[in-house]
Amino acid sequence: MRSPAPSPRTRTESAIDALLPGLRHVAWTSRTQARARFKALCLDEMESLLPESGLMLDLGCGQGIASHWLARRRPRARVVAVDFDRRKIDDARRFAPVPENLEFVEGDAIGAARGLRGSSVRVALLADFLSSLALDRQRELLGVLADRLEPGGLLVVLFVDTEPRWRFELNRARSTILCKVLRLSRIDGSSFGYVGLATYREWIERDGLSVTAASPLPGLAPRRRLVAKRVAT
């Protein structure tokens, strides 16, 4: 008799447990948050976009889920993961052994990007991070990253769109509870800086990048994955 196929929940838990074996030893809140985050990132759908090597940044890396995934799936790449929340960096280091091609840095994303020399970045990932910054700092960070991308380099931004409005407002309420009531995450300022797809597209194209995709992601929140490329000259 054929065994029943594993449920999506079982597959998700198996995948994240394989990626982050240390999860079983951390607090329930951190473990639950990490599993939800892994599912929301839709990482496997992004893999075909990624080159095999080069410098890859995960800015606002949080608990380092995408960082560990990048380092494992692209062993010839150098992955630098940055977050200003020490608790999240500590979680990232506990969740799994940190491979040689992965470095976690506690600090400011803009400062880390500015500290890079020339156009040396192959991939810059901003996964649900930009809205934690004030609008002027979002604009600054995107401009710095556009300058640091090498020809053919990719900017990948996961974000909550502002339309449809009812889904956006529901997500904003949820995020406020997580950050300001439960204090499971931190933001760089007093409030979220939400920006819609049209504005992000305008900013990024003004910085000289070509937007190649703006795909909706599954879930109740109106999230999108925007991909932009530095056109080779």
Side-chain angles (χ1 to χ4, degrees):
M1 185 175 180
R2 181 177 298 179
S3 300
S7 67
R9 175 178 170 81
T10 301
R11 289 196 298 268
T12 298
E13 290 187 353
S14 298
I16 193 170
D17 287 347
L19 178 67
L20 306 174
L23 273 183
R24 63 177 66 97
H25 305 301
V26 303
W28 174 85
T29 52
S30 293
R31 184 166 62 250
T32 301
Q33 190 177 10
R35 284 178 169 163
R37 182 75 181 130
F38 177 83
K39 184 176 181 181
L41 286 168
C42 302
L43 292 170
D44 288 340
E45 297 176 12
M46 186 172 64
E47 185 169 9
S48 62
L49 302 172
L50 301 175
E52 294 295 327
S53 60
L55 174 60
M56 300 185 182
L57 302 181
D58 182 9
L59 300 180
C61 68
Q63 296 169 309
I65 296 168
S67 319
H68 280 289
W69 182 87
L70 284 169
R72 178 173 292 189
R73 294 298 180 94
R74 294 296 185 265
R76 293 195 289 122
R78 176 189 170 216
V79 180
V80 177
V82 181
D83 202 283
F84 63 83
D85 189 338
R86 176 177 293 183
R87 298 172 304 171
K88 296 293 181 67
I89 292 291
D90 289 344
D91 276 347
R93 290 172 174 150
R94 284 196 299 264
F95 283 173
V98 179
E100 292 184 358
N101 66 328
L102 172 58
E103 178 185 4
F104 286 106
V105 177
E106 180 191 345
D108 173 68
I110 296 176
R114 286 196 182 282
L116 299 171
R117 294 183 178 181
S119 300
S120 58
V121 178
R122 197 75 181 273
V123 176
L125 174 63
L126 303 169
D128 300 305
F129 168 63
L130 280 176
S131 62
S132 71
L133 304 177
L135 297 186
D136 59 334
R137 286 176 56 77
Q138 292 188 45
R139 186 70 188 91
E140 181 182 2
L141 177 57
L142 290 172
V144 172
L145 290 176
D147 288 339
R148 296 300 186 267
L149 284 177
E150 65 182 37
L154 295 177
L155 172 67
V156 182
V157 182
L158 277 63
F159 68 99
V160 174
D161 201 357
T162 54
E163 298 293 340
R165 197 69 186 181
W166 72 270
R167 292 172 62 191
F168 164 71
E169 293 293 352
L170 189 62
N171 180 80
R172 178 159 63 175
R174 172 184 173 275
S175 297
T176 299
I177 292 171
L178 289 175
C179 291
K180 295 191 175 183
V181 179
L182 300 179
R183 300 188 181 278
L184 295 179
S185 296
R186 291 174 54 195
I187 57 176
D188 184 25
S190 59
S191 61
F192 292 99
Y194 288 108
V195 173
L197 173 61
T199 300
Y200 277 138
R201 184 189 293 272
E202 178 185 350
W203 288 353
I204 289 168
E205 291 180 342
R206 190 178 298 172
D207 288 330
L209 305 184
S210 175
V211 175
T212 60
S215 308
L217 295 173
L220 183 59
R223 297 170 64 246
R224 288 183 178 272
R225 181 192 296 115
L226 186 151
V227 180
K229 188 174 185 179
R230 165 67 71 188
V231 179
T233 56

